[in-house]
Each structure stands twice: as C-alpha cells, then as structure tokens.
Amino acid sequence: MFVKSVKKYGVAYLFLAPSLIGLLVFTLYPVLDSLYLSFTRWDGLTPVQWIGLENYRHLWSDETFKISLLNNLYYTVVTVPLTIILSILLALLMNAKVRGINLFRVFYFFPNITASIAVGIIWGAMFTQYGPINTILRFIGVSNPPAWLASTSLALPAVMLVSIWKGVGYNAVILFAGLQGVPRHLYEAAELDGANRFKKFIHVTLPGLSPVIFFSVVTGIISSFQVFDTVMAMTQGGPGRSTNVLVYYIYNSAFQNYHFGAASAMSYVLFVIIFILTLVQLQMQKRWVTY
Amino acid sequence: MEIAINDRSRTAGLRKKGFFRKGIVYLLLLIILVVTILPFVWMLSASLKNQATIFQHSMQLIPKDPIWSNYSDVWHKVPFATFYWNTIKVTFLSTAGSLISASLAAYAFAKLKFPGSNKLFLLYLATMMIPGQAIMIPQFTTMKHLHLVNSHWALILLHLFNPYGVFLLRQFFVQLPGDLNESARIDGCSELGIFARIILPLAKPALVTLGIFSLLWSWNDFLQPLIYLSKEKLYTIQMGIRYFQQLNGTDYPLIMAATTMSLIPIIIIYLFAQRYFIEGIAVTGTKG
C-alpha cells in the first residue's frame, strides 16, 4: 500500500520538495517562532527567558511604539488614497489614443523599478535647504521655503510625497490594464441613455474598475505598513521621532539594540494589523466591488 | 446647400475641439512625465557637478564643466566593484534558484495529482500574505544556527522560495493542454523529461516575467543585506550606496554618481524587457 502510493505520488512530492522545504524552514517555522519569541526576553546571546505577556503590556506604555504606529497610520491614510486617485487619473490619460503614448507609459513606470534606497537618496538631496525643490519654490515666489527634512512637521509629508511619486506609475499600469477590461457595450448603452462623460465615468468606468481598485487599496495598505528603505535613506526616523515607522522601530529594536523579544512582539502586532485590515477590506469588498 | 455648409462648419468645429482636447492630453502627459523623470535627470546632472555648484545652481540641469572624475572617484573611495560583483552574484543565483524551485512546484500543482494538493496550494497562497518584516527575526536566528550570517547564502536562500512565483507559474501551466503530457507519458517519457522538454519551453513568457521580477527584488533589496551582512567586502550595491552616503555624508556629487551607477543595470534591463514588466504587473493586478 505504502510502496504503491510512493510510486504513484512520489514524483509529485519530489517536484514540490525544494519549495516546500524552503517554505517550512524560512516562512512557516519563523511565523511560529516569532510568536514564541514575542513572549520572551532575549538579547540573542544569553538564554531565552519566558516573560509571558510582558512585551505586549510594555508596548501599551512605549511612547516610541505609539508614535511609530501613529506615523504609520498617518502615512497610510494620506498616501494610499492620494496614490490611487492620481493613478486613476493617470490611467485614464494613458488610455488616450494619441501618438507616442507607449513611450509615455514606459517612462511613467520608471520610479517603480528603481530601488527605494536609491530613490530615497535622490529625493533626500532634492529636499535639502538649497536643493531643487526649494529652488523651484523660490522661483514661484515662496520667499522662505522650509528645510523639509529638518522639520518635525514636514519630514513625514516629504517621505509620503516620495512614496506617492513611486507608487502612481505602478498602480496606473494595473488600472490601465483594468480599463481595457471594461466592456465597450456598457459605454454604448450609457450613451444611448444620454449619459455625459462624467456620468459614464461614475456609472461605468468606476464600477468596472472596482476589482482593480480594490487590489490597489489592499496591496497599497500592506506596503505602506512596511515602509522602511525610503525612511532609512531620507531621515532615519528623525528629526526627533517624527518619521519613525513600525518596521524602522522593529529593525532598531532587534538589530541595533538586541531586544529580540520586544521586537518580535511588535512584528506580531504588525502582522495582526495587516491581517485585520485585509480581512476588513475583504468584508467591505462586497459593498462596493462589482465583478 | 445650407445644410452642406452647416455640416462643414460642424465637422470643422469638431475637429477643432478634438485638436484642443488632444493638446490638453499631451500637456498633462508631459507634465506628469517631467515630474516622473526630473529626479533622475537631476541625479545625473548633480553627479557631474561639484559640492559648490550642485546647490548654487541646483536647477541648472546641464552643468557648465561636467566633472566626469566623480564617476571614477566612486570606484576609488569605496570598494564599489566588490559591491557590484556581490549584487550580480546574489541576484543571479537567487533568480535562477527561484525559477527552478517555483517551476517545479508549479508543475506539481498544475499537472500532477497527489493527496493534499488543494490544501497545500491554499497554504502557499496564505503565506503570500505574511509580511516579510514580521518574520525577519526568527529568520535571522535560523540563519545564525545554520552559520549563514555574513554570507551571501542567507540572502539567496531567503529569496529562493517565493510562493508568489509558484502561484504565477501555476496559473500559466494550468492553461497548457493536458494531452501533451498524456501522449508523452504513453511514449515513456519521465515526468522530469516532460517538465523539462515540453512544459518549460512552452512557459517561456511566464518564466521570463517571473525571472524579471525576481531579479528586480534581489537587485533592489536593502533590508535583508542590512540585517545579514556586516562585513564591508560582502556588501551589495544598495547597501554600498547607503554606506557611501554615511561615509561621505555631505559629498552629494559622489553620492549621486554612485546612485546613478547602481541604477544603470536595472534601467537597461527594463528598457529591453519593459513589455514583460508591464504585462506581469498588469496580470498580477487584474487576475490576482
């Protein structure tokens, strides 16, 4: 019996083996180990010490954690909607039948293929006191433009601007592909009903795009909770703690200060936040996404 | 007669309107293009200036006396060639490896029957939702146990098994007709033979798409190298430019030259393969 089933299915499991072993060792085991570590105090050298819920309790009173979480929320609430609105507008433009449109599309995607660390370094230089951003601002009549990355209130918006700049091309390409899938006959029907451009956009284009918009919202929120490279290149969490975000704080706690237990607890909180947000969206999807 | 005149003036009006509309579309497209490209253009221009001119004339995009030596200085001041070579090595091995492991698994899911197939596939899909940062600490301790910290193998291994790749390739393999497999099996071809000689050649577009994505992730990765590599001679290019930023905190022209050189390979590959990039992205968004 056993020999027979090995003969029958063995090949399949052999094909599966490399990736499955990898998945078990480097993803599934870490998910569980991360949970375990979050209940311990551990500096990576001395023995692991079980402390129960202490790490989680500590997070409640940890100012830096709260600030990082709030920064992340602020970042998400601003960047995700703005990126998607701008992407829809760009996707509509990309759909225009004009000469050379393909070349435009190729260039719009540029920011997305480049490393965020490189992008962060370029924009970091552009945002300096006498950098090009302020030169442009002075040119259009702002007499005293701010030192963006040195300001506690403007550093995070500067980082947000960069991520919007980076994200629009990517989402526009997805939305553009979605536009091709909206059935033509719906537009024709709307025209017969006397719908104008705006009405056609609201009643045909948007519902037709809703699954793609949904995808963009979900992936946008997930990636905005994972922002790290841009922050590292532009501000290193500063000035003060004004651009500290969750992953940056987790990285610092674990790999700079060797608080592996506390950092694991934060990682789990991050995991749960992303998980809940995704579930909530899957639920809400029924209300506004039409397939 | 009257009607004819009216008609002519109407079409002329329409044409005028279309012309006007096209003009606005072009204008908007151009404005967005400038916003998209300007940082890169500025980077290029800044890489050819010196510390003084970079900010005195920060919007003078074509520098008066381009300082080409900035580019060679980067290679002298930090081991830039080593960083480059390290990245090429890691990127190549992890891309090749992830193509192999993902295509094998995808073939099993798409074309072979075995108990637990559906449940395992769901597990793969579920792990796509786990944010990498949530598990980076135990991954690090695992690598430490395997004595792979401060080794490129840590980066390659972490990159090798991506469920996204399995998913992407499976979707493609499923569409391939099953009778190909059947007839090859009857001819006595082994599963591995079918996989290598029939399925893989047919799946070239999907493999290229995944390969490009994988290459991009590996080349652009910063957090993993930052965690695993602390010896300068192991640094990858993304770490290298950041390290350069720290070392020469104020030397913007050199930093911009280094950044430009870190982007060149990716931009060249993109320009050659942009069709695949854009199709791949579009597919993930609309059929996900």
Side-chain angles (χ1 to χ4, degrees), chain B residues 158-269:
Chain B
L158 286 178
H159 198 87
L160 222 57
F161 314 103
N162 80 72
Y164 172 78
V166 177
F167 176 70
L168 188 101
L169 292 182
R170 191 205 92 115
Q171 299 306 83
F172 194 85
F173 291 173
V174 165
Q175 298 166 12
L176 300 175
D179 21 323
L180 276 175
N181 298 37
E182 286 310 319
S183 54
R185 257 173 227 145
I186 290 164
D187 290 347
C189 194
S190 71
E191 278 312 323
L192 197 65
I194 299 173
F195 170 73
R197 267 183 256 144
I198 299 175
I199 300 290
L200 284 190
L202 285 174
K204 238 179 234 158
L207 291 171
V208 172
T209 305
L210 178 61
I212 286 167
F213 275 119
S214 179
L215 189 144
L216 197 63
W217 291 329
S218 216
W219 188 276
N220 287 344
D221 191 12
F222 171 67
L223 183 55
Q224 305 284 14
L226 182 68
I227 292 172
Y228 288 98
L229 311 174
S230 56
K231 292 187 181 134
E232 191 193 82
K233 68 174 177 23
L234 293 174
Y235 284 2
T236 59
I237 194 98
Q238 306 305 340
M239 270 189 99
I241 56 169
R242 163 88 179 113
Y243 170 69
F244 199 73
Q245 184 192 29
Q246 287 168 306
L247 276 185
N248 298 29
T250 47
D251 201 337
Y252 282 110
L254 287 199
I255 293 165
M256 289 303 135
T259 309
T260 306
M261 287 189 282
S262 79
L263 292 179
I264 287 171
I266 283 295
I267 287 178
I268 291 174
I269 291 171

Side-chain angles (χ1 to χ4, degrees), chain A residues 260-282:
Chain A
F260 285 109
S264 295
M266 284 187 258
S267 303
Y268 240 82
V269 173
L270 172 68
F271 184 17
V272 170
I273 289 174
I274 291 180
F275 190 72
I276 291 176
L277 284 175
T278 309
L279 281 187
V280 167
Q281 289 173 81
L282 283 173

Side-chain angles (χ1 to χ4, degrees), chain B residues 3 6-7 15 40 69 76 96 113 124 175 192-193 240 262 274 284:
Chain B
I3 297 166
N6 260 345
D7 241 26
R15 204 176 296 143
F40 296 111
S69 61
H76 299 140
K113 287 190 182 71
Y124 272 73
Q175 298 166 12
L192 197 65
S262 79
Q274 39 92 11
T284 52

Side-chain angles (χ1 to χ4, degrees), chain B residues 69-142:
Chain B
S69 61
N70 284 341
Y71 280 85
S72 52
D73 281 356
V74 171
W75 299 77
H76 299 140
K77 295 209 169 161
V78 294
F80 211 65
T82 312
F83 300 163
Y84 236 97
W85 169 243
N86 289 340
T87 318
I88 291 172
K89 180 182 135 193
V90 170
T91 303
F92 176 77
L93 289 176
S94 53
T95 301
S98 68
L99 280 176
I100 294 170
S101 84
S103 59
L104 284 170
Y107 181 70
F109 280 126
K111 295 287 174 202
L112 303 175
K113 287 190 182 71
F114 58 96
S117 155
N118 283 334
K119 278 186 188 137
L120 269 179
F121 189 62
L122 272 180
L123 182 75
Y124 272 73
L125 289 185
T127 53
M128 277 165 64
M129 254 190 67
I130 300 167
Q133 290 89 344
I135 52 176
M136 67 188 181
I137 295 164
Q139 279 177 341
F140 178 77
T141 58
T142 307

Side-chain angles (χ1 to χ4, degrees), chain A residues 108-212:
Chain A
Y108 293 152
F109 204 61
F110 242 67
N112 194 257
I113 57 152
T114 49
S116 351
I117 198 83
V119 158
I121 284 176
I122 300 168
W123 280 91
M126 298 206 350
F127 269 118
T128 48
Q129 178 97 63
Y130 298 100
I133 305 264
N134 281 357
T135 306
I136 293 169
L137 285 178
R138 263 184 230 106
F139 181 75
I140 60 172
V142 181
S143 58
N144 216 345
W148 296 81
L149 301 180
S151 148
T152 48
S153 55
L154 290 175
L156 193 56
V159 177
M160 291 172 183
L161 200 89
V162 176
S163 82
I164 293 170
W165 173 81
K166 200 172 188 310
V168 167
Y170 170 83
N171 286 291
V173 165
I174 297 177
L175 288 158
F176 170 70
L179 274 179
Q180 316 294 310
V182 181
R184 289 239 39 94
H185 67 88
L186 290 181
Y187 286 107
E188 281 151 20
E191 263 161 42
L192 284 179
D193 289 345
N196 58 23
R197 266 168 178 272
F198 180 72
K199 277 199 169 147
K200 274 191 282 181
F201 175 72
I202 296 292
H203 297 292
V204 181
T205 310
L206 273 187
L209 275 184
S210 61
V212 191

Side-chain angles (χ1 to χ4, degrees), chain A residues 13 19 26 99 106 108 135 226, chain B residues 26 29 58 115 124 131 139 270:
Chain A
Y13 290 119
S19 102
F26 297 114
R99 208 173 294 217
V106 167
Y108 293 152
T135 306
Q226 297 176 337
Chain B
Y26 267 122
L29 286 170
S58 76
Y124 272 73
Q139 279 177 341
Y270 173 68

